[in-house]
Amino acid sequence: MRENGSVERRTVLRAAGASVAALGLAATAGCGGDGGGAGDGSVELRFAWWGAEERAKRINKSVALFEKKYPRIKVKTDFQDYVAFWEKFQTQAAGGNPPDVFQNAVTFLRKYDKRGVLLDLKSQVDAGNLNLDNFRAGVEKVGQVDGKQLGVPVGSNTMSLVIDEKVFDKAGIKPEQGWTWDEYFAALKKIHDTQKVAGDTGYFGIMYLYDLFLRQNGKAFFTEDGLGFAEADLTEWWTDAYNRVKAGIITDPKKIEQLKPKSALASGDAGSEFTWDNFTVRYATEGDSSYGLAPIPTTDGKETGQYLSSLMLSASARTKHPKEAAQFIDFMVHDPEVGRIMGYDRGILATTEQFDAYRPADASSKAIAQYEEDVAAAGVLGAITPHPAGADTVEAAFLRIAGDMSQGKTKVSDAVKQFFSEAKTALAA
């Protein structure tokens, strides 16, 4: 999942959220559509994903290996950036012609299952065409919704706190597993007071981080069919964050906007930033300091609320070739050579075959792998919170409204009301 971190995610979610309402999808069922086939028994699968050129090179190389092993199956590949991918996919799905296999994420599973777009892969598991064994830390469950297997993970990641190690060392702060939010905020103030830099780039608009905080307190961002928290909860979270911005221990949001697409952590304008652990490779290329991964703060000194999330591969319910689609997915997630080719481009490799086959050489990738091993060993990983249909639109709204609130464009109370109004509309669609 090696997009360009939280900055790119902010940009694409705004666009994705804006496009969702405009593009309806007709419900589809069964097999049909525009799958390829020929009189000689050969089959053509269409495979689509989002990402940059580097990911395309790695995937196309992996596809070539698959075609060598399965010479009668040809794979036609297609990729765009995140926004363009989902706009094209929505149009294809509405027309009943989505790709046979495509990259997917947890926020879209219920949405497209509700519209009959996704193939339940359990039948292919039962038929022996797809193996769900040997997934690390139970990450295969990320693709399970309402008893269906709607996606198969290709990599895993979890929320983390990236720190500027030099800043933290100079301030005399050493984060340890089980530290509390009070200790974290005290650390931010100490960094601000001693190092004359904001402690954090701004955490209040990260939906998945807020989900962890809620989970630490017996709630969750989503239930299976709606939101799992109240207006009073969000009011407290955003009020606290806004006060810390005003106190200077959070980077000025206007500065954040000016620095984009560069992170304020990499520019030296903050000492830490919450993000997915596999995004952390960006800081070494953007910044001049040394960066490390620190534990997520806790409410009770124990539970972090963390879980493994993942990019995954899904198949179309309309594919004419469910067996071949399943064989392709199986190859892409289990083949050791594919693991060596893909590396951590889409997160820490999900299966033990691929994880054991790839040995990262760079310090950033080694640190990411070690972080996930440490989190798993700490016993804090739980099951991912279910995401209802419309979760992608809700996430886009949360990010946008939090940004407006942090810059003083809207009051906290108004921002909370606006978010709940937009979320209610998105989840009812």
Side-chain angles (χ1 to χ4, degrees), residues 180-391:
T180 66
W181 286 101
D182 286 343
E183 291 171 327
Y184 171 67
F185 290 128
L188 300 192
K189 186 176 187 308
K190 187 175 182 181
I191 288 171
H192 173 262
D193 293 345
T194 63
Q195 306 304 306
K196 309 305 177 185
V197 65
D200 188 276
T201 62
Y203 53 86
F204 33 82
I206 305 173
M207 184 189 82
Y208 288 96
L209 179 66
Y210 187 45
D211 186 31
L212 299 197
F213 179 79
L214 290 168
R215 287 159 64 94
Q216 291 175 17
N217 290 277
K219 301 181 181 181
F221 197 99
F222 290 120
T223 64
E224 292 187 1
D225 56 4
L227 298 177
F229 60 101
E231 289 189 21
D233 298 313
L234 184 56
T235 298
E236 182 179 0
W237 176 257
W238 275 352
T239 299
D240 179 78
Y242 184 63
N243 288 338
R244 296 184 195 281
V245 170
K246 290 193 296 182
I249 68 171
I250 303 296
T251 309
D252 182 349
K254 294 184 175 64
K255 181 71 172 178
I256 297 288
E257 292 295 321
Q258 293 170 357
L259 289 168
K260 287 181 180 179
K262 192 172 187 177
S263 164
L265 175 60
S267 70
D269 291 282
S272 65
E273 180 166 279
F274 289 99
T275 189
W276 295 106
D277 59 2
N278 65 303
F279 285 165
T280 59
V281 293
R282 66 175 296 201
Y283 302 104
T285 57
E286 287 186 3
D288 298 323
S289 190
S290 59
Y291 306 95
L293 290 162
I296 295 291
T298 69
T299 299
D300 62 0
K302 297 178 182 178
E303 299 298 327
T304 65
Q306 285 172 280
Y307 46 79
L308 292 183
S309 188
S310 177
L311 284 184
M312 61 190 78
L313 299 182
S314 293
S316 166
R318 295 184 65 89
T319 181
K320 289 182 177 179
H321 311 292
K323 175 182 177 179
E324 290 81 1
Q327 290 174 324
F328 177 65
I329 292 173
D330 185 84
F331 183 85
M332 295 295 279
V333 301
H334 287 288
D335 185 78
E337 184 59 29
V338 171
R340 283 188 282 268
I341 292 170
M342 294 306 303
Y344 294 163
D345 181 85
R346 297 174 297 185
I348 305 300
L349 293 157
T351 60
T352 56
E353 298 99 321
Q354 292 191 344
F355 182 82
D356 292 341
Y358 176 67
R359 285 291 178 261
D362 62 288
S364 295
S365 293
K366 289 180 180 178
I368 295 167
Q370 187 62 54
Y371 181 77
E372 288 203 10
E373 289 185 359
D374 291 345
V375 170
V380 297
L381 288 174
I384 191 169
T385 304
H387 286 54

Side-chain angles (χ1 to χ4, degrees), residues 72-218:
R72 79 176 188 88
I73 306 176
K74 303 301 177 184
V75 181
K76 182 179 180 181
T77 61
D78 183 31
F79 82 100
Q80 291 87 28
D81 65 28
Y82 184 92
V83 174
F85 172 88
W86 285 110
E87 289 177 345
K88 183 174 182 177
F89 183 85
Q90 289 164 30
T91 301
Q92 291 172 324
N97 189 35
D100 297 279
V101 180
F102 50 93
Q103 190 169 282
N104 207 349
V106 67
T107 47
F108 298 94
L109 292 181
R110 269 204 170 92
K111 172 180 178 176
Y112 287 112
D113 180 48
K114 181 179 179 181
R115 298 174 182 183
V117 176
L118 303 182
L119 177 68
D120 182 0
L121 291 163
K122 285 187 67 176
S123 61
Q124 295 304 315
V125 175
D126 294 340
N129 300 319
L130 176 60
N131 178 13
L132 289 184
D133 294 334
N134 301 328
F135 279 83
R136 298 174 51 252
V139 72
E140 75 279 1
K141 294 181 176 62
V142 175
Q144 296 174 1
V145 173
D146 301 330
K148 303 174 185 178
Q149 189 75 44
L150 300 179
V152 180
V154 294
S156 67
N157 59 2
T158 190
M159 284 299 299
S160 66
L161 175 65
V162 185
I163 63 171
D164 185 321
E165 292 176 322
K166 293 180 180 178
V167 169
F168 270 64
D169 286 346
K170 289 179 180 178
I173 301 166
K174 186 177 181 180
E176 295 182 351
Q177 190 74 40
W179 70 329
T180 66
W181 286 101
D182 286 343
E183 291 171 327
Y184 171 67
F185 290 128
L188 300 192
K189 186 176 187 308
K190 187 175 182 181
I191 288 171
H192 173 262
D193 293 345
T194 63
Q195 306 304 306
K196 309 305 177 185
V197 65
D200 188 276
T201 62
Y203 53 86
F204 33 82
I206 305 173
M207 184 189 82
Y208 288 96
L209 179 66
Y210 187 45
D211 186 31
L212 299 197
F213 179 79
L214 290 168
R215 287 159 64 94
Q216 291 175 17
N217 290 277

Side-chain angles (χ1 to χ4, degrees), residues 8-23:
E8 177 178 337
R9 190 168 181 80
R10 292 186 186 101
T11 303
V12 299
L13 278 171
R14 290 193 187 101
S19 65
V20 167
L23 291 168

